[in-house]
Amino acid sequence: RTGLDRFTSSLLRNLALSDQVYILTRILPSLISHIAGGWVLGDLVCYIEGLVFLPPVLVSMALVLTLSCVKVVVCIFPLRTSGFFDSKVFRRGLVAFIWFQAILPLAMAAITHQKVVVNHEIETICEMDVNRSSPVGYAIINVVLNVQMWIPTLCVVPCNLILWLVAKRYTRTHSLSNKKAVATTLAISLL
């Protein structure tokens, strides 16, 4: 069998879906408003854009982190992981968890009475206005969003460094050049 494994394929499909949601909910309305010279899409679209633009970003970050971590695990323990990531229940459960954790800030925003307003500095973008009058809600949303943004950001770099080191070790044992190590790293990360 050739091509991507089911796990990687599933994650890439969800990555494409999150990118499409982001384009439809953030880029397209902002582009229309930028061309028009101000927000022209009304309060309802502004409200939807302000709420919905964040989850696709968080999903994309989590999916890239998951792909990187899985590739590291597969490279380090190739025999122990064969078939584990191909489980339909595991794949669907992980994807559902990733989407759930991305939607969590929306529930937190509703509970802590956050508002969506037009950004007056850039009048073509609607965004969530953080309610600082509620210190507990403000703190909760900040903690949740910082964890969701920084953990993937800080973990993807070491994962890719480990992939590169594994590929470098592989190329050394097989007498290949440094360019081959980079190519092998790319091949491993695309498996």
Side-chain angles (χ1 to χ4, degrees):
R1 181 173 89 101
T2 60
L4 292 175
D5 59 273
R6 289 184 183 122
F7 182 78
T8 304
S9 179
S10 173
L11 293 183
L12 289 178
R13 278 194 307 273
N14 278 277
L15 185 60
L17 177 64
S18 71
D19 287 346
Q20 290 170 351
V21 170
Y22 184 79
I23 288 168
L24 291 174
T25 60
R26 188 65 166 185
I27 306 235
L28 188 61
S30 296
L31 180 64
I32 292 168
S33 296
H34 183 70
I35 291 169
W39 189 259
V40 294
L41 298 174
D43 291 339
L44 179 63
V45 175
C46 178
Y47 185 76
I48 292 169
E49 181 194 355
L51 285 178
V52 179
F53 86 93
L54 186 60
V57 172
L58 296 175
V59 166
S60 293
M61 292 176 75
L63 288 170
V64 169
L65 172 64
T66 304
L67 280 169
S68 295
C69 291
V70 165
K71 295 308 169 187
V72 167
V73 170
V74 168
C75 283
I76 294 174
F77 306 108
L79 298 177
R80 292 184 192 168
T81 58
S82 65
F84 176 74
F85 295 113
D86 281 339
S87 162
K88 186 184 284 188
V89 173
F90 178 76
R91 281 193 324 262
R92 288 183 178 171
L94 183 63
V95 167
F97 173 76
I98 288 173
W99 279 96
F100 171 76
Q101 65 85 29
I103 294 170
L104 187 62
L106 296 181
M108 307 284 287
I111 291 168
T112 58
H113 308 293
Q114 305 303 314
K115 297 182 286 186
V116 176
V117 296
V118 175
N119 182 337
H120 293 291
E121 294 172 15
I122 309 168
E123 292 185 356
T124 59
I125 297 176
C126 284
E127 60 186 18
M128 190 174 299
D129 183 31
V130 178
N131 183 359
R132 293 169 202 246
S133 64
S134 168
V136 174
Y138 179 68
I140 290 171
I141 284 185
N142 270 335
V143 167
V144 168
L145 287 177
N146 280 318
V147 166
Q148 287 178 316
M149 295 293 246
W150 283 104
I151 287 179
T153 303
L154 295 175
C155 293
V156 165
V157 172
C159 284
N160 288 326
L161 181 63
I162 291 169
L163 282 175
W164 184 77
L165 291 172
V166 167
K168 185 105 170 133
R169 186 177 68 198
Y170 174 82
T171 55
R172 250 192 229 136
T173 58
H174 292 83
S175 303
L176 301 171
S177 69
N178 203 19
K179 289 180 184 177
K180 292 281 187 176
V182 173
T184 305
T185 303
L186 288 173
I188 289 170
S189 58
L190 294 174
L191 287 177

